[in-house]
Amino acid sequence: MAGVKDVARLAGVSVATVSRVLNDSAPVTEETRARVLAAVAELGYRPNGVARSLRTDTTRTVGLVIGDILNPFFTELARAVEDEARSAGYSVVIGNADERPGRQDHYVRTLLEQRVDGLLLCPTAEITPLVRDVVRDGGPLVFLDRTLPGLDVPTVRADGTAAIGELVAHLARLGHRRVAFVSGPALLSTGRERTEAFVAALRANGLPVRPEYLEAGDFQAASGRASAARLLDLPEPPEVIFAGDNLMALGALDEIRARGLAIPGDVGLASYDDVPWFTHVDPPVTAIAQPVQDLGRRAVRALLERIARRPVEPEVLAARLVVRRSCGEPGPDRGAEDLAVRPLGAGPQGGDLTKEGSGPA
Amino acid sequence: MAGVKDVARLAGVSVATVSRVLNDSAPVTEETRARVLAAVAELGYRPNGVARSLRTDTTRTVGLVIGDILNPFFTELARAVEDEARSAGYSVVIGNADERPGRQDHYVRTLLEQRVDGLLLCPTAEITPLVRDVVRDGGPLVFLDRTLPGLDVPTVRADGTAAIGELVAHLARLGHRRVAFVSGPALLSTGRERTEAFVAALRANGLPVRPEYLEAGDFQAASGRASAARLLDLPEPPEVIFAGDNLMALGALDEIRARGLAIPGDVGLASYDDVPWFTHVDPPVTAIAQPVQDLGRRAVRALLERIARRPVEPEVLAARLVVRRSCGEPGPDRGAEDLAVRPLGAGPQGGDLTKEGSGPA
DNA sequence: CCGTTTCGTGTAAACGATTACACGCTATCC
DNA sequence: GGATAGCGTGTAATCGTTTACACGAAACGG
């Protein structure tokens, strides 16, 4: 493959001049520039990014390690990260950890060896020694979507506490008292926080907190299904199952369907994470939507700041409740209101729930 | 950051020896090996992949440019590619073309400059000069899922002709005569072929071929919705809409719902590509499933062959029909049989349609 | 008219690894 | 015991860029 040298020779200039033309890093006569460009075109020269990176110690590339590429939440996130990075002149290399610490480490290591300029990590449940090392060495690292306890790393994530509060209030208003939650791994902030928020919301709304209604999943569909099965096998099964992410909701849905149960008649379903197809399920699934675009965008901005060695503040965005019909008919706006404890700091309407049109009519 | 030199100094050996230990490319005394390893650990040395790649002219990385990262078909594909590549010791860098030739070229260029060892490309509709160049230069390139006309590149893809034949036969058997198809871009093999197969199947089953029932979409949800709108606005709207990919099916579904139409009562729906949530739509969507895992796996294998400069044959796998309920109740296995022309070479049961359990009960 | 900028260009030294080649030492074989 | 092979190790060239530095010519100011 042709290199600068060949181009230089053909254009009758030095390699330095070629480089100057290509990066316009210094003024060059219009005439030589033309000759160089012609030579480049003629040889079909493509600069060797590897050599350039070695010399400049910069790859204009950021790494993104996501939890699970089959999870629409993460693909949307990847998309957002990608867009923002591209517009800043960076490429994104995606690694799929598949929620496995081993795979995560594999990618972190590979990306680090490939000398990405920065790393966006949605950490898996376990704090691996590798991640601890990287944090200690203070490389440009930003956590996305999740934090790990005891690790001081800038993080961009969404907080669903308020939305979960609204959801539980909504459920209480519909007359439900037995509500179960299928959480993610407790080590993950997204697992722990959602559980805590859920329990707090139960208390705030005067609903019982039963340990057997607290299932621990792993954010994958299979665990959602297994948890749903255990819940439904309980002597007194819950009236509503709230899944901690969209995949576990899918799993729960599978299990509910397999048993031939009616939603929300026999059991209601709600999900953390909103995905496009929730609208088309029968009935449409009530969900908590995260500001995915924003999450991705801000994470990239934060990372670029860190790459520029500027300090960055952690960012926490708010998730919001989207009420549909899978937990029961919301019914007319009045009614049931007396049953419900008003959500934290909400007005008479019960907070600014987003109410979607309830389908055709 | 520490380099081989530092390690060498600390271990009291030469850089060559360090390299030998790290790649065990030559025998080294057990004792020196230990010293080197100790030094590596102490310094937290991480080899510089950029430098290594420059020297060895190999990156152990393949590029994958997909059509659209929000399309579950492609993410599943990416997942499969990823798995296979990893087990062969390669990393995958994913580029998201977003079905735009410009973006595709951006990634092809970037990946080529980053000197990936090979490139897997799901080409967008247009044949860009860049792609033409790359093909001409004969770099290790494999097309995945799609071909482009007139370009001689090894390709791994699925053929849905037979499955589409079965689908149309299935529709005919259910008594439908007015069937519309929303195709992808005609320049893409996946667009063109599916349309041709559809038209042929119509003819084979004695159904009318009406030009106004042939909509051209672009594989994105919005175009599916727009096409569905046009079809439903026709003086004589189709009885079934068959979408050329899962995103356009989602769009069509949106439009059908927005109009408050019943499926399959008012209009039936079928989709090319099967995705997990199709099972949970009301009613579950009849679809044509591609062997995604296999596609990804074989594509990687083909690419590795090309990287090793061995010749590879194009591979064509078969898609298969998955009958659900969105085009009408399949009903008992007998009946309606007299109405239907038997699909090409099918037995009395109408071919080996996969019939899924029709939901609960 | 001569010093001093300014401008365009070239020469050569990095960047951090791998690896061909050379070298000294020990064991082996006649 | 001396030639020889084999083993472990070190020295230095190399990969393809960017860029600090130097240099000659032209322009400019006093």
Side-chain angles (χ1 to χ4, degrees), chain A:
Chain A
M1 181 138 219
V4 265
K5 265 186 188 151
D6 308 286
V7 175
R9 192 169 331 120
L10 182 58
V13 298
S14 74
V15 290
T17 302
V18 174
S19 176
R20 287 192 265 255
V21 169
L22 263 33
N23 312 319
D24 53 45
S25 49
V28 167
T29 327
E30 198 43 55
E31 195 246 334
T32 40
R33 141 170 276 109
R35 276 217 314 283
V36 169
L37 258 22
V40 165
E42 175 162 349
L43 294 174
Y45 167 72
R46 247 184 277 289
N48 185 326
V50 174
R52 166 180 300 165
S53 291
L54 177 60
R55 182 58 231 259
T56 60
D57 196 37
T58 178
T59 52
R60 299 223 62 109
T61 288
V62 302
L64 168 65
V65 180
I66 59 179
D68 177 6
I69 202 182
L70 295 185
N71 185 332
F73 168 73
F74 284 117
T75 55
E76 252 186 84
L77 193 57
R79 170 69 193 275
V81 164
E82 230 269 309
D83 282 348
E84 185 71 14
R86 186 167 21 74
S87 75
Y90 280 79
S91 293
V92 178
V93 182
I94 301 177
N96 171 32
D98 207 22
E99 300 293 5
R100 305 226 275 270
R103 292 248 172 120
Q104 167 195 276
D105 278 10
H106 167 79
Y107 279 108
V108 170
R109 204 180 332 263
T110 306
L111 292 169
L112 253 28
E113 289 190 359
Q114 288 183 168
R115 295 298 193 267
V116 292
D117 292 346
L119 193 54
L120 248 27
L121 178 60
C122 309
T124 47
E126 212 171 286
I127 302 182
T128 64
L130 176 62
V131 169
R132 199 183 291 279
D133 278 9
V134 175
V135 171
R136 182 172 37 72
D137 298 354
L141 175 65
V142 168
F143 279 169
L144 179 49
D145 174 51
R146 309 163 167 177
T147 346
L148 287 175
L151 249 34
D152 183 29
V153 177
T155 303
V156 177
R157 62 193 189 82
D159 179 27
T161 308
I164 291 176
E166 290 174 22
L167 170 65
V168 173
H170 160 73
L171 297 178
R173 213 175 303 127
L174 289 171
H176 297 301
R177 289 187 56 77
R178 302 196 309 277
V179 183
F181 181 58
V182 184
S183 78
L187 254 179
L188 249 37
S189 57
T190 45
R192 216 174 42 251
E193 272 185 16
R194 291 173 198 177
T195 309
E196 285 167 11
F198 174 73
V199 171
L202 245 31
R203 295 226 168 82
N205 286 274
L207 301 186
V209 180
R210 306 192 183 188
E212 71 270 29
Y213 284 177
L214 259 27
E215 277 285 337
D218 63 1
F219 281 148
Q220 306 269 41
S223 79
R225 176 154 195 176
S227 291
R230 275 191 297 275
L231 290 169
L232 295 171
D233 279 339
L234 250 27
E236 196 173 28
E239 295 158 312
V240 175
I241 296 178
F242 173 29
D245 86 334
N246 75 82
L247 289 183
M248 297 195 298
L250 178 59
L253 202 49
D254 278 331
E255 182 63 24
I256 294 171
R257 294 272 199 248
R259 292 178 180 229
L261 299 175
I263 303 176
D266 296 319
V267 60
L269 180 69
S271 173
Y272 205 98
D273 289 344
D274 194 17
V275 292
W277 57 269
F278 273 178
T279 327
H280 297 296
V281 174
D282 173 37
V285 180
T286 292
I288 290 176
Q290 300 196 55
V292 189
Q293 296 297 321
D294 229 27
L295 236 31
R297 221 184 297 281
R298 284 169 195 254
V300 171
R301 295 216 194 106
L303 186 60
L304 295 181
E305 287 301 294
R306 296 255 24 214
I307 292 176
R309 327 203 85 88
R310 282 188 290 262
V312 324
E313 293 300 303
E315 298 197 56
V316 182
L317 311 177
R320 65 176 225 288
L321 176 64
V322 180
V323 173
R324 297 200 185 91
R325 300 205 312 278
S326 62
C327 298
E329 218 38 73
D333 274 19
R334 47 190 162 62
E337 189 69 29
D338 44 327
L339 279 177
V341 168
R342 269 213 300 287
L344 352 159
Q349 295 285 9
D352 56 346
L353 312 191
T354 305
K355 287 238 175 61
E356 288 197 347
S358 42

Side-chain angles (χ1 to χ4, degrees), chain B residues 197-248:
Chain B
F198 175 71
V199 170
L202 246 31
R203 294 226 168 85
N205 286 274
L207 302 186
V209 180
R210 305 191 183 189
E212 71 269 30
Y213 284 177
L214 259 27
E215 277 283 337
D218 63 2
F219 282 149
Q220 305 268 40
S223 80
R225 176 153 196 175
S227 291
R230 274 190 299 274
L231 290 169
L232 295 172
D233 279 339
L234 250 26
E236 197 175 28
E239 294 157 312
V240 176
I241 296 178
F242 174 30
D245 87 334
N246 76 82
L247 289 183
M248 298 195 298

